[in-house]
Amino acid sequence: MAYADVAGDVRLFYTDDGTGDAERPPLLLVHGWGTDSHQWSWHIDALTAAGHRVIAPDLRGHGYSSVPETGNTPRAMAADLKALLDGLGVRQVVAVGHSMGAQVVSVLAVEHPDRVRALVAVDPGYGMSDDIVRGFPRMVAGLRGPRPHEAAEAIDEWCTNAATPAVVRRWHKRRLHGMAPHVLAEAMEAMFTAPDAIGARLASEEYLARRTCPVLSIWSDAGRASWEAGLLKDPASRVVCWEGSSHRLHEERPAEFVHLVTGWLRRVAA
């Protein structure tokens, strides 16, 4: 476990487990909004047992990493990850991102395509339809209001359903209440309502079409899964939908998630 200085006064906490081999790029596991790299505790041991080196950072503003007053955006987070990889001497990774993390690794793949061998997007925080996007300004306002953590908890209710174990619900609730409110608001705004946000469907289509690496995309919603299938260019790409799962699908079905990811990687990222 270590810290890396990546940008100005920003330090990232990260873990680096497993050794992997020279033929397989490390896995870079990137968590979602309002959580941290502990989100991958369900998966790291199984991934290292399968022979992968696994790097799992806390994004800026999250977990044990620095909490800047500004700049808590997916684009800045992607730049931080590139700096982290530079410092570790890692040339290329398989980037795995959940929710906001899928935005972050997609930015990394678009802006630095030589650094991403393949990409796994887990119920990604992009491709939102117009009716959903119209609700984000109200959410951001709530996060900037007098009870930001209550607003964040209300948003997080969308991320769970009957398939979500109580321990997963409780874990995420505790993480949200430990977050700096300005980070929650700034990151949400940068994902969906800022001028360069890529979370809305039209913006997602224009930006994600620039990804050229193989993509495995795992969704809980069949409609959004079908939408992304039309954007993927590499023939090794695959879209999977686990209907009935929630936004926390990889935490609800960790063994199945690891099996799916490692099996796909044996075919595309050797």
Side-chain angles (χ1 to χ4, degrees):
M1 300 182 185
Y3 288 85
D5 296 316
V6 294
D9 59 353
V10 175
R11 303 185 75 208
L12 297 189
F13 171 82
Y14 69 96
T15 57
D16 189 348
D17 294 288
T19 56
D21 58 59
E23 296 182 356
R24 290 192 291 185
L27 305 184
L28 177 68
L29 306 185
V30 183
H31 63 81
W33 177 83
T35 178
D36 59 39
S37 58
H38 284 84
Q39 187 180 33
W40 303 105
S41 298
W42 284 266
H43 317 96
I44 290 175
D45 288 345
L47 290 169
T48 57
H52 294 278
R53 178 183 176 186
V54 180
I55 302 166
D58 289 351
L59 296 170
R60 62 165 62 199
H62 294 71
Y64 298 121
S65 292
S66 300
V67 183
E69 288 301 316
T70 60
N72 298 288
T73 69
R75 292 178 189 272
M77 293 167 184
D80 291 344
L81 295 182
K82 178 184 179 296
L84 173 64
L85 298 179
D86 289 345
L88 293 174
V90 173
R91 184 182 65 84
Q92 198 172 55
V93 295
V94 172
V96 182
H98 172 246
S99 190
M100 181 183 75
Q103 274 206 28
V104 174
V105 297
S106 291
V107 172
L108 185 66
V110 168
E111 305 299 336
H112 306 283
D114 58 317
R115 308 305 294 269
V116 180
R117 172 66 182 84
L119 189 151
V120 180
V122 187
D123 216 44
Y126 53 63
M128 301 295 183
S129 58
D130 290 344
D131 58 325
I132 295 175
V133 170
R134 282 193 290 271
F136 281 112
R138 175 179 51 80
M139 295 181 193
V140 172
L143 294 170
R144 296 194 188 280
R147 295 181 176 84
H149 292 109
E150 291 181 18
E153 190 175 344
I155 294 169
D156 196 61
E157 285 297 312
W158 171 81
C159 298
T160 63
N161 64 15
T164 310
V167 65
V168 173
R169 293 173 182 266
R170 172 63 61 181
W171 188 90
H172 282 279
K173 178 179 178 179
R174 288 174 59 83
R175 287 306 309 127
L176 279 172
H177 280 267
M179 286 285 299
H182 76 277
V183 174
L184 292 170
E186 188 174 15
M188 181 69 71
E189 185 176 50
M191 283 192 286
F192 299 112
T193 65
D196 61 350
I198 63 170
R201 183 156 297 189
L202 180 59
S204 297
E205 289 175 350
E206 294 174 351
Y207 193 82
L208 299 178
R210 296 167 56 191
R211 296 181 305 189
T212 57
C213 64
V215 176
L216 170 62
S217 191
I218 311 169
W219 291 90
S220 61
D221 180 88
R224 293 172 69 199
S226 177
W227 162 79
E228 186 169 22
L231 300 178
L232 303 180
K233 294 182 176 180
D234 190 287
S237 295
R238 184 183 177 194
V239 175
V240 176
C241 182
W242 289 349
E243 291 191 74
S245 297
S246 82
H247 188 54
R248 312 283 188 208
L249 52 85
H250 60 312
E251 295 167 51
E252 295 161 1
R253 299 161 69 171
E256 190 174 352
F257 174 79
V258 170
H259 178 75
L260 173 62
V261 170
T262 55
W264 181 73
L265 289 177
R266 281 194 292 270
R267 295 189 294 275
V268 303

